[in-house]
């Protein structure tokens, strides 16, 4: 089975500062050589601290940021190679995004009917005479039912969870194959978050969707995603099946993220084994040489500051960018079953 989305060696750099004649003073290495794939029907999480490049990666997939280098293939086709307007339209339809703040991403002057009718009309998803019925169908699908009763309402007349349901309805209106969700449930109360995740899960089954799910919440990752990609300062430092990454991480940064989860969280609770991560993420303008994590890594040795670590295949789909990934004795084994019981 070929990947739905395949990103290879993606670089997104932003020139900053400088003037008209002097050129940029510095370059932000927001995404720096990222490989990532999403299979049909898969839910892949992208995790990492704020500023590590998650949103830039997502925006590049949607064509909102121009890559500096690398390729993005969708259903085997290079997205940047899409020549005809028709090809670009098909691609724009096939990948949709859900943002963190549903209030910001909805036009306050438009009713729900106007908001959801617009993409249907522009892309000609249904005949004009059927647009209203299609909007009602979409609203029912996302749990705003009966759909008719919501058509004339404005965004401010909805709760946060309901607004996110409208954004989800707008995202699925174009019948996409992949949804990129950037911190889509992060701003919601915990009970509403669970409802929205259940809705996304149901839509995935009913509509055959895949998700690229960007979040900093590891509890959500564990309950919702099948594979995890861990980013640090523009690099992917570890990836693998969720259970494996949570139980036997093979990168000190992943270990530190897991350690940073509050023990009260019933999903990610576990025994603590080492000190949590300290200090801020370094500037992406001048990322540390060799291993980018060496300035904060509790396991760092001399080689880490001089030689860039290779990507080590740890088996069963798990990969780590650490010199010591293959040294099994170094890695803690998190015991979720006992920790869950103690949470
Ligand atoms: N348009 C831009 N111009 C300059 N720097 C940017 C731009 N967009 C993002 N960045 C920088 O790129 C880095 C990664 O940002 P972002 O992708 O938003 O990270 P995340 O979503 O993981 O918090 C940050 O240092 C951010 O300031
Ligand atoms: S290569 Fe060295 S600094 Fe980098 S993560 Fe591994 S141990 Fe830490
Ligand atoms: Mg972000």
């Amino acid at each position: 089975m070929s990947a739905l989305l395949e990103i290879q060696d993606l670089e997104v750099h932003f020139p900053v500062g400088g003037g008209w004649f002097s050129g940029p003073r510095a370059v932000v290495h927001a995404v720096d050589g990222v490989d990532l794939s999403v299979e049909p029907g898969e839910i892949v999480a992208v995790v990492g601290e704020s500023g590590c490049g998650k949103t830039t990666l997502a925006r590049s997939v949607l064509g909102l940021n121009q890559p500096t280098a690398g390729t993005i293939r969708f259903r085997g086709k290079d997205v940047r190679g899409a020549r005809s307007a028709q090809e670009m339209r098909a691609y724009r339809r096939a990948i949709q995004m859900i943002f963190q703040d549903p209030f910001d991403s909805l036009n306050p002057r438009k009713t729900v009917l106007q908001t959801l009718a617009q993409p249907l009309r522009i892309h000609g998803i249904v005949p004009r005479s059927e647009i209203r019925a299609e909007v009602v169908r979409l609203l029912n699908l996302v749990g705003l039912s009966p759909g008719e009763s919501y058509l004339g309402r404005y965004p401010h007349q909805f709760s946060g969870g309901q607004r996110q349901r409208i954004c989800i309805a707008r995202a699925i209106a174009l019948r996409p194959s992949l949804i990129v969700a950037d911190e889509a449930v992060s701003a919601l109360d915990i009970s509403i978050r669970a409802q929205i995740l259940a809705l996304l899960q149901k839509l995935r089954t009913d509509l055959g969707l895949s998700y690229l799910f960007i979040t900093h919440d590891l509890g959500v990752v564990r309950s919702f995603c099948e594979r995890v990609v861990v980013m640090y300062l523009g690099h992917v430092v570890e990836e693998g099946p969720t259970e494996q990454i949570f139980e036997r991480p093979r990168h000190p940064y992943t270990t530190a993220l897991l350690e940073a989860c509050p023990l009260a969280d019933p999903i990610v609770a576990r025994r603590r084994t080492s000190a949590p991560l300290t200090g801020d993420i370094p500037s992406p303008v001048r990322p540390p040489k060799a291993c980018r994590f060496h300035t904060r890594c509790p396991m760092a040795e001399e080689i880490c500051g001089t030689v860039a670590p290779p990507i080590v295949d740890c088996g069963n789909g798990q990969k780590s960018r650490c010199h010591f990934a293959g040294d099994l004795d170094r890695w803690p084994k998190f015991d979720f079953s006992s920790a869950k019981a103690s949470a």
Side-chain angles (χ1 to χ4, degrees), residues 54-55 182-183:
K54 304 181 296 294
T55 296
D182 190 358
E183 303 283 6

Side-chain angles (χ1 to χ4, degrees), residues 5-298:
L5 177 74
E6 196 170 13
I7 298 172
Q8 276 177 335
D9 238 345
L10 185 73
E11 290 179 11
V12 188
H13 296 171
F14 298 109
V16 287
W20 281 101
F21 302 107
S22 58
R25 264 213 317 261
V27 174
V28 178
H29 299 76
V31 172
D32 224 0
V34 163
D35 290 346
L36 184 154
S37 68
V38 182
E39 303 295 326
E42 197 180 25
I43 307 181
V44 177
V46 179
V47 300
E49 282 164 288
S50 181
C52 71
K54 304 181 296 294
T55 296
T56 305
L57 174 70
R59 287 175 57 85
S60 309
V61 170
L62 282 130
L64 302 173
N65 279 337
Q66 248 341 77
T68 312
T71 53
I72 301 175
R73 286 198 184 82
F74 188 71
R75 292 209 174 97
K77 273 196 177 171
D78 188 342
V79 170
R80 289 207 283 174
R83 292 275 173 260
S84 68
Q86 201 184 1
E87 263 183 329
M88 273 322 285
R89 265 168 86 92
Y91 176 69
R92 294 230 163 92
R93 256 184 70 174
I95 304 187
Q96 293 296 309
M97 189 147 182
I98 310 173
F99 297 92
Q100 173 170 2
D101 190 336
F103 201 64
D104 270 2
S105 52
L106 291 171
N107 186 335
R109 295 170 197 275
K110 284 191 174 170
T111 63
V112 170
L113 176 60
Q114 289 167 329
T115 298
L116 297 181
Q118 190 180 31
L120 295 172
R121 195 167 46 242
I122 291 173
H123 286 267
I125 304 293
V126 290
R128 280 179 178 255
S129 58
E130 291 172 26
I131 284 180
R132 188 185 171 93
E134 177 66 4
V135 170
V136 170
R137 189 186 75 84
L138 287 167
L139 289 172
N140 287 331
L141 211 56
V142 297
L144 292 173
S145 78
E148 282 89 350
S149 61
Y150 294 96
L151 292 176
R153 296 202 206 168
Y154 290 87
H156 73 269
Q157 295 174 294
F158 291 90
S159 67
Q162 286 176 323
R163 280 197 288 264
Q164 198 55 300
R165 285 177 193 269
I166 298 168
C167 293
I168 294 170
R170 185 175 55 186
I172 61 171
L174 298 182
R175 304 180 185 171
S177 325
L178 176 69
I179 290 197
V180 179
D182 190 358
E183 303 283 6
V185 294
S186 304
L188 303 174
D189 289 346
I190 200 143
S191 60
I192 307 294
R193 186 181 308 174
Q195 291 171 19
I196 297 293
L197 288 174
L199 170 65
L200 293 174
Q201 192 67 265
K202 184 177 177 323
L203 293 175
R204 173 222 196 175
T205 313
D206 294 352
L207 308 178
L209 294 171
S210 306
Y211 295 104
L212 186 60
F213 201 83
I214 292 164
T215 181
H216 61 267
D217 185 335
L218 292 175
V220 169
V221 172
R222 187 154 158 80
S223 64
F224 186 65
C225 305
E226 286 144 355
R227 210 148 53 77
V228 188
V229 172
V230 184
M231 282 186 73
Y232 184 76
L233 214 50
H235 275 171
V236 170
V237 293
E238 184 163 17
E239 69 165 288
T242 305
E243 285 300 300
Q244 213 166 304
I245 294 283
F246 274 68
E247 282 176 15
R248 182 70 85 152
R250 300 275 201 97
H251 195 284
Y253 182 60
T254 315
T255 310
L257 288 182
L258 292 171
E259 292 293 347
C261 283
L263 278 172
D265 188 320
I267 301 165
V268 292
R270 72 209 127 54
R271 289 189 204 121
R272 290 194 189 282
T273 53
S274 63
L277 191 62
T278 55
D280 290 330
I281 192 163
S283 164
V285 171
R286 266 179 301 280
K289 296 225 175 337
C291 176
R292 290 197 171 177
F293 189 49
H294 85 264
T295 53
R296 298 168 83 196
C297 180

